[in-house]
Amino acid sequence: MIPVQPLSQHGRQLSQPPVDGRALRTVCGNFATGVTVITTGGPEDGAATTVNSFTSVSLEPPLVLFCLHRQSRLRPALQRSGGFVVNFLTRSQAGLAWKFAGRESARLAEVPHHRSTSGLPVLTEALAFLECRLADEHDGGDHAILLGEVTALGTSTEETDPLVFYKGAMRVLDTDVPAPARG
């Protein structure tokens, strides 16, 4: 077990050295997440990057967020376009997720995609997508927290399992294990 920061007898945190970034990444790797590819830009500057720091924020108004490294190659195209698409990946798209995960990633033009009615790129084989208008940006340390208002959405007509990221690896759900009953 990794030690937790101790508290004094009065419930205050004792002074400790800062949390090591690698240790934080290891611990957070124990939280399974879905895998998305964020796409943005026009026909000339279309770009994409793999993100697992995505979450739904609000239904009214419809808001989502994701976190993006401040030095990401996606950032300039996103700021120019003012919008983005969150593409939820299927179990068969692990290779695609890795292609867009590195600093030198695949080009969007090399991947099957189409343009939404507002001109943003949508991955054709994604499990589902959310098209968003960039609503706000917040400081998140070495990342930016990007808030988007959902303006359009869609799902695949095929029933397929999602791609999941856990402990540094792309994984699929075990469909043979039933979910526990809600209680």
Side-chain angles (χ1 to χ4, degrees):
M1 177 65 75
I2 297 174
V4 215
Q5 292 186 340
L7 298 177
S8 71
Q9 65 182 4
H10 303 292
R12 294 192 188 117
Q13 219 166 5
L14 298 176
S15 178
Q16 295 233 341
V19 172
D20 175 67
R22 306 263 315 140
L24 178 61
R25 185 178 191 142
T26 299
V27 170
C28 288
N30 287 290
F31 182 68
T33 66
V35 181
T36 68
V37 168
I38 306 295
T39 53
T40 192
E44 296 81 35
D45 68 343
T49 194
T50 301
V51 168
N52 71 336
S53 61
F54 163 80
T55 192
S56 165
V57 175
S58 168
L59 298 176
E60 282 296 324
L63 299 172
V64 297
L65 71 74
F66 73 97
C67 300
L68 187 65
H69 196 278
R70 292 204 173 275
Q71 303 303 316
S72 171
R73 68 189 172 284
L74 188 78
R75 228 166 151 220
L78 175 58
Q79 290 171 334
R80 280 190 302 275
S81 75
F84 60 91
V85 176
V86 182
N87 298 274
F88 303 150
L89 299 190
T90 69
R91 68 183 294 158
S92 64
Q93 293 179 301
L96 179 69
W98 286 118
K99 283 182 183 182
F100 286 119
R103 292 192 191 276
E104 298 296 321
S105 78
R107 292 174 11 97
L108 185 59
E110 300 167 352
V111 179
H113 69 282
H114 59 277
R115 295 283 167 173
S116 69
T117 55
S118 64
L120 291 172
V122 178
L123 297 182
T124 303
E125 298 168 358
L127 179 63
F129 76 92
L130 301 171
E131 182 177 11
C132 303
R133 176 188 64 78
L134 184 58
D136 208 351
E137 184 174 324
H138 300 275
D139 181 28
D142 60 1
H143 282 65
I145 302 165
L146 301 163
L147 187 67
E149 179 181 6
V150 179
T151 58
L153 48 81
T155 61
S156 171
T157 56
E158 279 186 44
E159 183 69 30
T160 185
D161 288 333
L163 184 60
V164 177
F165 191 72
Y166 177 68
K167 289 193 173 184
M170 302 290 177
R171 302 174 189 254
V172 296
L173 298 178
D174 184 351
T175 56
D176 295 335
V177 179
R182 292 173 75 161

